[in-house]
Amino acid sequence: MSSTSSAQSGIDPRGPRFGAVITTVMLALAFVLLWTPQGSAGYNVACVLLAVQTLVFALGAIVGLSAQPYGWIYRRFVRPRLSPPSELEDPAPPRFAQVVGLAFAVVALISAIFGAPVVAIIATGCALIAAFLNAAFALCLGCEMYLIGRRLVRR
Amino acid sequence: MIIGVIVVVAVLLVGTAFGLWRRRVDGRLREAHQAGDIAHDETLTHEQIGVELGAKATLVQFSSAFCQPCRATRTLLSDVAAMLPGVITVDIDAEHHLDLVRQLHIMRTPTVLVLDSTGLIRTRASGLPRKADVIAAIGALG
């Protein structure tokens, strides 16, 4: 039986958790501000927050976790103050989470800019739940959906 | 915007409820005939899992590429197999065995099955199980 990704090297699991906390705050703010009238200052701030978060997800998903800005903040400012991690984590699941986050963020950003706030709110809400579960419970919702997706797609 | 604040609080409360429920059931070993979601007396053969069955028990783990707890589960099962005679462990890539995944109603990784010496599925868990529970499940095989 082939085993998946058995490399013993890995990343500090607290890095993606730290990033998920910032992502949760960003998405929660954007989610609330999307309820303000289109064209208002609040709505515009929501669009800026979504744009920044989309860029963050894109860097993590396309370039890799080493290029993810929140991960960089963690490594530069937080990890030096902490003890070394007790165990290392496979980088594939948190990177996949960035891909899932990117998909929702792109839909949210485009919908918000082109005047479909309801779609933007739903997409932001989906990404928010995933980021929150990751931050609060170390649960990777996108990873959980992966096998279910494969079950549905491939006969 | 006040509605937005109310909705975001509601969303986070639902997320918290889900997270707490998941934490409670995660990795809990259940007797297969109590699990409800799998057929009675489901038996796996060595052709299906790719290795000869253990003389005492076979610990079958289903893994996937994007699975945070799979690594820790693999280590835990290997430790148990190394400790107890007649116990072997096998890691199955769920993506490449989707027929088996559907047949056994496996919805997430890691899923751990405890087979007795005949290949009958006696216990299963979704998520990282506790080592003491796995050892107890093997002990209960008789």
Side-chain angles (χ1 to χ4, degrees):
Chain A
M1 288 294 124
S2 59
S3 102
T4 51
S5 172
S6 58
Q8 281 308 299
S9 62
I11 57 164
D12 184 345
R14 297 167 301 185
R17 288 289 290 280
F18 174 82
V21 172
I22 303 181
T23 301
T24 301
V25 173
M26 293 281 287
L27 292 173
L29 283 174
F31 185 90
V32 169
L33 292 172
L34 281 171
W35 294 73
T36 58
Q38 285 183 59
S40 69
Y43 192 88
N44 292 339
V45 170
C47 291
V48 171
L49 289 171
L50 286 175
V52 171
Q53 188 58 49
T54 302
L55 181 65
V56 168
F57 279 142
L59 286 167
I62 297 164
V63 183
L65 292 174
S66 56
Q68 215 268 17
Y70 302 158
W72 181 85
I73 294 171
Y74 172 78
R75 288 191 303 278
R76 178 73 178 77
F77 297 106
V78 182
R79 193 167 62 184
R81 297 161 197 273
L82 302 177
S83 53
S86 55
E87 56 198 297
L88 296 177
E89 182 185 70
D90 183 355
R95 184 164 178 180
F96 184 68
Q98 299 290 302
V99 175
V100 176
L102 177 62
F104 282 114
V106 165
V107 171
L109 179 62
I110 291 174
S111 315
I113 290 173
F114 291 98
V118 176
V119 179
I121 284 170
I122 292 169
T124 305
C126 291
L128 172 62
I129 289 180
F132 172 72
L133 288 174
N134 196 347
F137 298 99
L139 204 159
C140 176
L141 200 58
C143 305
E144 301 267 328
M145 302 311 293
Y146 177 72
L147 182 64
I148 294 173
R150 290 300 301 267
R151 281 183 55 146
L152 293 174
V153 171
R154 270 258 302 269
R155 284 288 120 197
Chain B
M1 194 172 101
I2 189 71
I3 301 170
V5 173
I6 294 167
V7 175
V8 85
V9 169
V11 164
L12 294 181
L13 282 176
V14 170
T16 303
F18 177 78
L20 290 174
W21 168 78
R22 167 49 78 77
R23 184 180 281 177
R24 214 165 64 84
V25 300
D26 195 50
R28 186 193 288 172
L29 280 157
R30 299 172 302 167
E31 302 225 354
H33 66 264
Q34 291 176 344
D37 56 353
I38 71 167
H40 285 285
D41 299 337
E42 194 102 51
T43 301
L44 294 181
T45 63
H46 70 93
E47 286 94 352
Q48 283 174 297
I49 62 172
V51 295
E52 292 295 327
L53 294 167
K56 169 85 176 169
T58 306
L59 308 175
V60 182
Q61 174 179 351
F62 284 84
S63 301
S64 64
F66 306 118
C67 169
Q68 275 169 320
C70 282
R71 183 189 277 200
T73 303
R74 198 172 296 132
T75 306
L76 185 148
L77 296 184
S78 300
D79 287 353
V80 172
M83 198 169 64
L84 300 176
V87 176
I88 64 146
T89 180
V90 57
D91 193 359
I92 295 179
D93 186 348
E95 286 176 63
H96 295 111
H97 298 82
L98 287 173
D99 290 340
L100 203 51
V101 164
R102 290 195 190 95
Q103 181 194 332
L104 299 171
H105 301 277
I106 289 168
M107 298 307 286
R108 52 180 288 233
T109 53
T111 288
V112 174
L113 310 175
V114 180
L115 314 187
D116 67 14
S117 57
T118 67
L120 182 66
I121 301 173
R122 295 283 293 269
T123 325
R124 67 186 274 161
S126 297
L128 172 64
R130 296 194 315 141
K131 188 182 269 185
D133 291 345
V134 177
I135 293 168
I138 294 167
L141 294 177

